Amino acid sequence: MNGIDFSVAGAGLTALGSGALWWAEQRLLVVSDLHLGKTERILRRGGPSLPPYETRDTLIRLENDLNATNAATVICLGDSFDDAEAARTLPEADRLWINRLQAGRRWVWIEGNHDPGPIDLAGTHLVELPLSPLTFRHIAESGKSGEISGHYHPKVRVQTRLRSITRPAFLIDSDRVIMPAYGTYTGGLRSSEDVLNTLMRPEATAILTGQTPRMMPMPR
Amino acid sequence: MTPPSLPTEIEGWFSTRGWDIHPHQRDMLARSTDPCTLLIAPTGGGKTMAGFLPTLAELSDGTHDGLHTLYVSPLKALAADIKRNLRTPVDEMGLPIRIEDRTGDTSQTVKKRQRADPPHILLTTPESLALLTSYEDAPRIFRGLKRVIVDEIHALADSKRGDQLFLALARLQTLCPDLRRVGLSATVDRPADVASLLARHPDPCAIVTADPGPAPDIAMLQTDETPPWSGGGAAYAIPAVLEHVKQHKTTLIFHNTRAQAEIFFHNLWLANDESLPIGIHHGSLDRQQRERVEAAMVRGDLRAIVCTGSLDLGIDWGDVDLVIQVGAPKNVKRLVQRIGRANHRYNAPSKALLVPANRWEVVECVNALQAVREGDLDGDPRPRGPQDVLCQHILLAAAAAPFSADDLFAEMTSAGAYADLTRAEFDACLEFCATGGYAFRTYDRWQRLQKRGDLWHLRDPRAAARIRMNAGTIQDSDKLKVRLKRNRGGKPLGEVEESFAATLSQGDTFLIGGQIVRYEGLREMTVEVSRNAAKKPRVAVFSGTKFATSTQLSQRTLRFLQHPSWPELPDHTADWLRLQRDVSRLPEPNRLLVETFPRDGRENMVVYGFAGRNAQQTLGLLLTKRMEDRDLAPMGFVATDYATLIWGLDEIANPEALFDLNALRDGLDGWLAGNALMKRTFRGAATIAGLIERNTPGQRKSGRQATFSSDILYDTLLKYDPEHLLMQVTRTEALSGLVDFARIEDMLARIEGRIDHVRAPHVTPLAAPLFLEVGKVPVQSGSAEERLLAEETDALMRDSGLQNVKG
């Protein structure tokens, strides 16, 4: 598979180029910050009507990853929906599509700050999920070990000899992984921001998403 | 047509000064009841007074209540300047007239007061006017309005700012049916076109032409040094330029780009042994700095100002007696307007000097000079009014009040720029504003505009504020402020483009406002710098606009190359052309010269298309793509206004086969769709049409975020909805703008397959300077980005030792 292997707290993980995280031993796929229904929320709040294709695009990519991994468990690591109303008003076709993806596998919705509280979709709804030796939660907590989180969805800028390239990225150290956003319209926070600097150990690395994922020292 | 007699206060004011009212000023008075008049007059011809005299006459009896005349100018500074210059005579005439300006710099308190109690004369900009029309109380604000004066209309006519303004005028005409329109313009190539933009369609518009005054005294700068083969710095001319500055009272030194202005200013200072007071002025400098230079100039304290187009327009900066244009003027019309900046005394000739920056520009300058002498101005037919501006106007109309689609359509087609708008095009824009206009319909309950009965309403009235916050058609390409690094916010110096800032690392030096500064870091979207005493800065590449040489000037130059000899040229340049004719051949009109030759182990092909920089650049992209498809291993290209040089591994034995118009067009549709130029064009259109908000209630989005999301939106539309309105707008615009495919089509149509292929044993004289050009574009195969990333990240992992730590 198109990914980079590493381990956190003894668990062998693979960062995929798509921005998903694969735990082979558990056949478990993690995606974070899908922000489905973002265009609907912006519109509802009096903003412009952005091209309403982000849910479709995100689900196509998720479907590809599920086909490639044949995951037994899927964890959506919070902010799966841009808000509760966006989840409620998800078009019927997208709802059925998610049902189809869920068939035959365990599906866990972790709560995020955008989508606290249960949503009206099949699957387990949890604040966080401990699965030894790892814990899955939306927002990283300092001092924890074996933690997989999203929320900040980091991006990394690399100055190559011809131009600078910015990509969503995983941040990884021996205690934790902070995942990039999986949602099509979800941006990112520069890895050099203070909050990420404080959370990550000095020797942290970054894995850039893209056609072929690439590992590098985390740019500070 | 007898002019109405002027009130005695006004006649008296002129006669006590011993001034005659100019014939064109009388003419404008005589036509003061016409629905629309365009005045074409040189700078210094009393143009502004000609525009305002009827207003002063009508207001002299003090009976008018509320707004009478609206004055619109392209520059905030011009509005402020006119306020000063109008106030004095009005006070001296003792007329009871209130004059105020309203621009982006006006305080909220004053703006509010102006809405409640408008002055008699309001001086404003197209942007502020568009906003004013979007308020619910617009009918009350504009009640009583009689006249609108559009100053420097030539500067607005060719841009989206103009389209916005003409739509706003249509709006005003609906509010005030007997509104009369006046346009004031510098010399233009097609006065009738400008007149039809100004007038309510299909009203006639008389054109009044003032005596243009004596012909300008214009020449090419003579220097002892010969100009270099390439580059735009013109450093060789510094001693000669300084000599002219010494001999004149005040000299304006125009440059085509801000970076060139900065470098020239820097070099000028290094050579300025007598410490002549010389300033710099361009659009990227901090406002305070610019104002200081402007004030010094008005006082007559400066002997020279190095500047860009920011000083193009008719602000009265004092006694300029020489204009120097550094770099080929690219466009004869703009050159004439710049020359007009010298000498505000009406009957003395303006004096100007052209300074070619390199050998090729000598040829171009000679041709531009001839064009000026013959009055052969260039101009392209104006494109149709763009739909993104229309969308913004629909939203602004909705912010003002519910509207009927039929009425709004009728109103918009009364604007000259939109006279041929079809109902289907209008409906597509309305649909975009209401629902987004996507092929995939969804969320209709949240649509922005909703139809209730016959009228369209904003669904959420609070959206009005958001729409107003994002009005305007000027695209600041994302700029970052530059400040001196201090404990508590140092002195602001100006702005640089974000793309330039992204290339800086700590310790790099660059020029801004004529001083060398050292990059210290980026803090909260501000570039922090310290002063630096370095002798040689890293070049400031913040771009400013790079104009392409106009079609007319290019064609004139091509014809010039056919002369048997060139006595107009200095020997060094004439010899160069003769050598080219002997070794290869000279490019000809209606034919296309293509040279191929080996050099440094690479094969080269030069295409002399004379299509202007943008089109030659696009030609480079398209031809290298064609070559790649045919396994001809192109490695890169560089483009100038007249030629594209492509290099690669293989000899091109049969270049004719590359120039198939249909194949090139296919490349444009398929491959160029993903190009950065298209994305940039899309960002502009999407921002104007209201799809991307620069400002949201609460906080200003940083440029970076806007950049990120517009590219994603473009990619998404390309993938799922390629025929969306904004994609159509983007394609139309890119074809004549940044991509300029229209000129490639013109060129191919002109040559009709007449391609002259010269296989030379080595580089030819005309091709040689191309090898020195900056801005070489490496050709990137699809995997280039992946390869670059792999190379860099592997090196980082290895060098940091992390390779052994991971896992």
Side-chain angles (χ1 to χ4, degrees), chain A residues 162-186:
Chain A
L162 288 186
R163 63 157 101 155
S164 117
I165 298 172
T166 303
R167 293 278 177 87
F170 297 84
L171 297 184
I172 297 162
D173 65 20
S174 53
D175 289 334
R176 63 168 41 89
V177 178
I178 302 182
M179 293 190 47
Y182 199 79
T184 295
Y185 285 174
T186 319

Side-chain angles (χ1 to χ4, degrees), chain A residues 4-7 37 39-40 42-58 60 85 88-91 94 155 157-167 184-188 190 203-205 208-212 214-218, chain B residues 432-443 445-448 459-460 462-463 466 498 501-504 522 690-693 704-705 708 712-713 716-717 719-721 778 780 782-783 785-794 796-797 800 802 805-807:
Chain A
I4 292 182
D5 299 333
F6 61 96
S7 68
T39 41
E40 191 264 355
I42 290 173
L43 198 56
R44 174 162 26 96
R45 296 179 149 208
S49 42
L50 300 180
Y53 303 108
E54 85 285 17
T55 301
R56 183 189 300 190
D57 194 70
T58 303
I60 286 177
E85 178 71 8
R88 220 173 46 74
T89 55
L90 199 67
D94 294 338
K155 63 180 179 185
R157 199 180 90 189
V158 188
Q159 185 64 49
T160 73
R161 71 189 155 85
L162 288 186
R163 63 157 101 155
S164 117
I165 298 172
T166 303
R167 293 278 177 87
T184 295
Y185 285 174
T186 319
R190 284 258 173 96
E203 71 277 12
T205 54
L208 281 63
T209 58
Q211 198 182 321
T212 309
R214 303 279 175 196
M215 184 183 264
M216 64 180 288
M218 169 182 163
Chain B
F432 168 80
C433 293
T435 68
Y438 300 105
F440 172 59
R441 294 296 299 270
T442 177
Y443 313 136
R445 56 191 285 235
W446 300 126
Q447 67 183 48
R448 219 170 191 193
R459 173 181 57 79
D460 180 354
R462 287 170 302 180
R466 275 179 99 133
E498 191 178 348
T503 66
L504 294 171
L522 192 67
L691 183 67
I692 297 169
E693 296 183 321
R704 167 64 76 186
Q705 281 167 310
F708 170 71
I712 299 257
L713 296 182
T716 307
L717 281 175
K719 202 152 135 196
Y720 298 106
D721 208 345
Q780 306 199 344
S783 59
E785 188 161 277
E786 293 296 326
R787 284 213 317 269
L788 283 167
L789 260 188
E791 198 178 283
E792 188 66 25
T793 53
D794 288 351
L796 285 166
M797 288 302 282
S800 65
L802 275 168
V805 182
K806 74 160 178 165

Side-chain angles (χ1 to χ4, degrees), chain B residues 119-334:
Chain B
H120 296 116
I121 299 178
L122 186 67
L123 313 162
T124 189
T125 58
E127 290 71 29
S128 290
L129 173 61
L131 278 180
L132 264 179
T133 64
S134 79
Y135 289 109
E136 301 85 339
D137 54 357
R140 208 178 41 74
I141 300 172
F142 292 108
R143 190 170 53 210
L145 179 67
K146 299 289 179 218
R147 306 182 72 228
V148 57
I149 301 173
V150 182
D151 200 359
E152 307 277 345
I153 188 172
H154 61 277
L156 289 167
D158 286 336
S159 72
K160 290 188 179 183
R161 300 183 70 203
D163 297 316
Q164 181 183 42
L165 170 64
F166 302 129
L167 286 171
L169 293 187
R171 183 101 272 249
L172 289 181
Q173 200 86 51
T174 305
L175 297 173
C176 319
D178 47 1
L179 177 70
R180 291 159 281 154
R181 310 178 181 197
V182 168
L184 311 176
S185 173
T187 316
V188 286
D189 52 312
R190 301 163 195 242
D193 286 6
V194 176
S196 74
L197 289 173
L198 174 66
R200 168 175 55 186
H201 184 78
D203 283 359
C205 174
I207 299 172
V208 174
T209 310
D211 176 1
D217 164 12
I218 166 172
M220 200 159 75
L221 178 73
Q222 302 297 323
T223 57
D224 298 334
E225 294 260 339
T226 51
W229 290 108
S230 81
Y236 79 96
I238 297 264
V241 167
L242 260 182
E243 206 44 52
H244 279 280
V245 170
K246 282 177 202 162
Q247 289 163 18
H248 291 83
K249 231 185 302 187
T250 313
T251 305
L252 286 185
I253 306 173
F254 277 106
H255 288 262
N256 289 334
T257 71
R258 291 167 189 175
Q260 281 170 8
E262 285 280 2
I263 296 165
F264 193 86
F265 180 65
H266 181 70
N267 289 329
L268 206 54
W269 260 110
L270 293 180
N272 186 4
D273 298 333
E274 295 177 28
S275 297
L276 296 172
I278 297 176
I280 180 165
H281 190 287
H282 60 70
S284 291
L285 292 180
D286 185 67
R287 193 169 100 215
Q288 275 188 336
Q289 296 226 48
R290 266 182 293 165
E291 283 171 355
R292 204 168 322 132
V293 171
E294 288 161 15
M297 185 155 174
V298 171
R299 284 195 307 271
D301 289 352
L302 293 178
R303 295 294 298 280
I305 296 180
V306 175
C307 57
T308 62
S310 62
L311 278 191
D312 257 351
L313 296 169
I315 302 176
D316 197 350
W317 294 128
D319 206 357
V320 176
D321 54 353
L322 176 65
V323 165
I324 294 180
Q325 160 73 35
V326 180
K330 308 285 180 199
N331 176 308
V332 177
K333 184 167 59 174
R334 196 168 48 245

Side-chain angles (χ1 to χ4, degrees), chain B residues 465-522:
Chain B
R466 275 179 99 133
I467 290 168
R468 289 190 195 108
M469 282 175 90
N470 289 287
T473 59
I474 302 175
Q475 296 300 304
D476 303 335
S477 58
D478 310 308
K479 299 234 183 75
L480 297 179
K481 287 218 177 325
V482 179
R483 272 178 186 282
L484 280 178
K485 188 176 177 173
R486 291 275 159 73
N487 285 339
R488 254 175 290 155
K491 190 176 152 205
L493 297 176
E495 295 170 329
V496 293
E497 273 149 25
E498 191 178 348
S499 53
F500 173 63
T503 66
L504 294 171
S505 26
Q506 200 180 7
D508 280 350
T509 53
F510 62 98
L511 273 167
I512 185 160
Q515 44 184 317
I516 298 178
V517 294
R518 179 178 191 272
Y519 177 73
E520 297 294 345
L522 192 67

